[in-house]
Amino acid sequence: MKSLRFENIWLLSHRDKKARHVSFHPKKNLLRGRNHTGKTSLIRSIFETLGAKPQGKLESWDENTASLLEFSVDGCHFFALHQNGRRALFNANREMIVATSKFGEWSQAFCNVTEFNLVFTDKKESAIQPADPACFFLPFYVNQDGSWQSEWNTFGGLKRFSSPWSAILEYFTGVCPPEYYRAKAEKAQESKALEESRREYKLLERTIERFSRTLPLFGPKLNPENFANEIALLTKEVTELNERQEILRSAAVREQDLLSSLEQQIRLADEALAAYDNDAKYLRAGNSEPLICPTCNAEHTKSFLDLLNFAEDARVLRELAGRLRYDASEVRYRCSTASARLSTVNENYKRISVLLDTRKGALKFEDVVGSLGAESAFAAFEAERQLLQEAIDKTLGVIDSLDEKMKLLRAPKKTRAILEDFRSHYMTGRVALQLPPVDVSKMKLTGRPDLSGSGGPRSILAYYAALWQTCQGVMGTFDVPVVIDSPNQQAQDDFNLPAVLQFIAKDLPDGMQLIVGLETETDFPFDREIHLDVKYSMLREDHWAETERIVEPLLEKMYVMMESDVEEV
């Protein structure tokens, strides 16, 4: 498992002549300060420096503030520099790796040093796109503006990818290795290419059909190869007609048998209804003789209940007859449709038969002249048809190969084990956060809770914590710092807020780096506390000299490199 850690951040505002340097502990860090003291500004600067822009805007913040972040990947240190959309990456010796104002180039550099190799397809599924820093930090940053609700709105720009959430979570929890998502993205591209080739093939077929109505393709051939192609085409068409005719005949026979059965049932129902009518008239007759049993000679009077039973039986039988007649009309329509389709097939047979008969007659000069243009067209059409068919067959083979590769990479047993761990962690988190138990047997990695009231943020925190604990498991791929900006959401009371803070301070995995922004003091232990105590002034004058000495030389290197790149272009 690869590990990333935030080490130091320096912020420098030339406009205000103020700066700030903050050093992070490798484990639990607490940013404490009242509202508007700069907790969110500091946290946002970490992610914006690395190319992940959180949702929301900052008020009264110098947009040209330069930020320098020291971070490490498996103990190897790097420096990321950012100022108003321009970024540079330096190694531990502060030697420049890349300087650019293009987001794509920066994302590639970040992915290279972190070895983050997740890929997606774009919205149109026309190209494979590498993931960016926002994808990398998405499961690990809970911000005030977009993370405490039921949707993934932490960072902007992710909607340009096609359904990235599931792939990101499965990547970090270890459900699927990176090769699976590359194969998936390639399959999406190949499927789109297959669809396009099939569309072109159908268009070519329609073009040939329309062309043949004005200039016959099936005439005498001067080129034996074209004649052989025409025979092959006719053979293919006859084969397809035979298959279609067998299907239609079978369907027509089934529908006709069903229709005969329904008509027989309707006839029996009508006869039974006629008998019921006669019996009902007899029962209603007031002067009729009593009913005498032929076996025991017992006499039975005609009760009102008997009349009701007869009437109910007759009603049910009439409804049955009505339904049978409706079904019969439906089947009769299907029979007529199948017959019409059969007649169309027969017409095609007759057309092919006429074509074959004309070849047995005498060859006329006008037939040869008329066929010259058609023969050239036929050769061109056939060549294009073969190219398209080869492309379709090749693409189908690639898709089948990618399907097999994806099946091998996504092991069902491992997936079930990871999901069981995730669900277990979520249930444990709910209990610790004073939430009632729920059924999680079918919960997915992407199943963010959607709970209103004060329980909503706590359920979201339990969900994120389950993801972090799963990522820290034996099958996780990355150990990424977790940042929680203001866990006191939706006015947690004096009973629930301590439970939230205790859960964050004590129940989260010990090995991961944690940065928490909080408004008030807490008795729960953190390894380092950074106190912000001045409203609207997180940057300080007494940090200016030291920060300028560190940041300014790197800013100069970045702009010199970018200017030289412009001159070369």
Side-chain angles (χ1 to χ4, degrees):
M1 179 187 298
K2 299 191 70 64
S3 176
L4 183 142
R5 289 290 180 269
F6 300 142
E7 306 289 344
N8 292 277
I9 187 168
W10 294 268
L11 301 173
L12 183 73
S13 172
H14 294 88
R15 183 194 70 181
D16 301 331
K17 296 297 180 182
K18 294 181 179 180
R20 188 81 185 219
H21 170 223
V22 174
S23 179
F24 298 106
H25 194 276
K27 290 189 177 181
K28 297 177 182 179
N29 299 267
L30 177 64
L31 290 177
R32 182 172 63 85
R34 297 288 181 178
N35 293 335
H36 308 297
T37 55
K39 299 186 301 298
T40 298
S41 300
L42 179 60
I43 289 172
R44 285 175 61 96
S45 297
I46 296 173
F47 294 104
E48 287 194 21
T49 304
L50 292 174
K53 186 175 180 60
Q55 295 282 12
K57 294 183 178 180
L58 296 176
E59 188 178 7
S60 303
W61 179 256
D62 181 7
E63 296 294 335
N64 285 312
T65 298
S67 57
L68 177 67
L69 176 70
E70 181 184 7
F71 66 99
S72 62
V73 180
D74 285 349
C76 184
H77 287 247
F78 298 91
F79 292 87
L81 178 65
H82 171 243
Q83 186 178 44
N84 201 11
R86 296 172 287 273
R87 292 181 174 86
L89 184 66
F90 302 85
N91 62 17
N93 298 322
R94 307 194 184 188
E95 299 168 340
M96 185 175 293
I97 299 173
V98 66
T100 181
S101 60
K102 297 178 180 178
F103 181 73
E105 291 182 1
W106 171 259
S107 293
Q108 185 61 50
F110 175 83
C111 292
N112 287 341
V113 299
T114 58
E115 297 183 15
F116 179 49
N117 53 359
L118 181 61
V119 296
F120 306 103
T121 54
D122 57 14
K123 278 288 187 181
K124 298 181 180 179
E125 295 189 344
S126 58
I128 296 177
Q129 298 286 344
D132 59 24
C135 300
F136 185 85
F137 292 110
L138 180 69
F140 306 100
Y141 176 33
V142 189
N143 73 333
Q144 292 197 75
D145 300 297
S147 298
W148 293 102
Q149 289 79 37
S150 60
E151 296 182 0
W152 291 98
N153 291 323
T154 308
F155 296 105
L158 290 179
K159 292 184 178 180
R160 72 183 186 275
F161 299 123
S162 178
S163 303
W165 330 115
S166 177
I168 292 172
L169 300 183
E170 289 181 348
Y171 178 92
F172 283 104
T173 56
V175 170
C176 296
E179 293 80 6
Y180 174 88
Y181 300 103
R182 180 167 294 278
K184 184 178 180 181
E186 291 176 0
K187 181 187 174 183
Q189 279 191 301
E190 294 294 340
S191 297
K192 186 171 183 180
L194 177 62
E195 181 182 351
E196 184 64 26
S197 296
R198 284 174 169 168
R199 188 182 300 113
E200 290 183 16
Y201 192 90
K202 290 180 180 179
L203 180 61
L204 180 62
E205 292 283 348
R206 288 197 296 269
T207 302
I208 294 174
E209 180 183 356
R210 292 169 183 170
F211 188 81
S212 64
R213 295 173 186 171
T214 56
L215 188 61
L217 293 177
F218 300 101
K221 300 296 173 205
L222 304 180
N223 189 334
E225 183 178 348
N226 286 344
F227 184 80
N229 290 335
E230 185 176 315
I231 292 299
L233 182 62
L234 283 173
T235 302
K236 178 183 177 183
E237 187 173 358
V238 170
T239 302
E240 293 175 352
L241 285 174
N242 287 337
E243 293 176 354
R244 188 179 178 191
Q245 185 184 55
E246 288 300 320
I247 294 172
L248 290 174
R249 279 180 177 173
S250 177
V253 169
R254 287 198 308 272
E255 299 295 349
Q256 191 61 48
D257 290 342
L258 180 57
L259 180 60
S260 298
S261 175
L262 288 172
E263 289 175 345
Q264 178 67 15
Q265 293 178 54
I266 292 170
R267 187 164 52 253
L268 292 174
D270 288 340
E271 291 175 358
L273 275 174
Y276 271 119
D277 289 339
N278 291 333
D279 291 342
K281 288 179 182 178
Y282 174 78
L283 289 173
R284 290 190 183 95
N287 55 355
S288 59
E289 298 178 357
L291 297 175
I292 300 174
C293 177
T295 303
C296 63
N297 294 322
E299 292 187 3
H300 299 277
T301 59
K302 298 173 290 182
S303 67
F304 180 68
L305 182 60
D306 294 332
L307 293 173
L308 285 180
N309 289 338
F310 259 72
E312 179 63 19
D313 292 344
R315 185 190 65 78
V316 172
L317 194 55
R318 287 192 182 91
E319 290 182 358
L320 174 62
R323 288 198 298 270
L324 290 173
R325 285 189 172 86
Y326 176 79
D327 293 342
S329 66
E330 291 287 325
V331 174
R332 197 173 289 111
Y333 172 76
R334 295 201 296 266
C335 282
S336 62
T337 302
S339 298
R341 290 176 178 173
L342 269 175
S343 64
T344 302
V345 172
N346 292 332
E347 289 177 2
N348 287 329
Y349 272 123
K350 291 179 182 178
R351 177 177 57 82
I352 294 173
S353 179
V354 170
L355 289 172
L356 294 175
D357 288 341
T358 56
R359 298 179 187 189
K360 297 176 184 177
L363 182 63
K364 298 180 181 179
F365 178 72
E366 61 180 355
D367 294 335
V368 175
V369 174
S371 182
L372 286 174
E375 185 174 0
S376 300
F378 178 79
F381 286 144
E382 185 60 30
E384 183 67 17
R385 189 203 304 268
Q386 289 180 358
L387 288 175
L388 286 173
Q389 189 61 54
E390 289 174 1
I392 290 172
D393 293 341
K394 181 179 179 181
T395 306
L396 284 172
V398 173
I399 290 175
D400 290 341
S401 176
L402 290 171
D403 277 333
E404 290 299 321
K405 182 177 181 180
M406 290 167 64
K407 288 179 182 178
L408 294 174
L409 291 172
R410 191 184 183 101
K413 186 176 180 181
K414 183 178 73 170
T415 300
R416 285 194 298 270
I418 292 173
L419 283 175
E420 287 175 1
D421 287 344
F422 166 72
R423 292 162 182 165
S424 175
H425 292 316
Y426 177 65
M427 276 302 301
T428 302
R430 285 183 64 93
V431 173
L433 292 168
Q434 315 290 353
L435 289 168
V438 293
D439 180 19
V440 297
S441 59
K442 296 182 180 179
M443 187 178 184
K444 299 179 180 179
L445 289 175
T446 54
R448 289 176 66 102
D450 187 10
L451 188 63
S452 60
S454 64
R458 282 180 282 139
S459 66
I460 290 291
L461 180 58
Y463 169 75
Y464 271 105
L467 288 176
W468 302 331
Q469 289 165 321
T470 307
C471 292
Q472 291 283 327
V474 294
M475 298 180 188
T477 55
F478 271 90
D479 176 15
V480 181
V482 167
V483 179
I484 306 173
D485 192 2
S486 190
N488 187 13
Q489 300 288 319
Q490 295 288 347
Q492 303 295 321
D493 57 25
D494 56 357
F495 177 70
N496 288 317
L497 182 57
V500 170
L501 298 179
Q502 178 177 346
F503 179 76
I504 291 174
K506 294 185 176 181
D507 294 350
L508 296 182
D510 291 332
M512 72 182 190
Q513 187 179 34
L514 177 66
I515 300 174
V516 180
L518 191 63
E519 293 82 3
T520 59
E521 294 182 3
T522 176
D523 294 331
F524 297 105
F526 284 82
D527 297 296
R528 180 167 298 165
E529 181 176 321
I530 300 132
H531 188 204
L532 306 176
D533 54 359
V534 181
K535 284 190 175 183
Y536 303 106
S537 186
M538 184 263 290
L539 304 183
R540 294 166 41 169
E541 293 179 355
D542 58 332
H543 283 220
W544 168 262
E546 178 198 358
T547 303
E548 184 189 33
R549 178 180 59 80
I550 295 173
V551 175
E552 201 63 42
L554 299 183
L555 275 174
E556 184 178 351
K557 285 184 180 181
M558 179 178 73
Y559 284 109
V560 168
M561 175 64 72
M562 294 180 69
E563 288 173 4
S564 64
D565 290 342
V566 171
E567 291 176 359
E568 290 179 3
V569 174

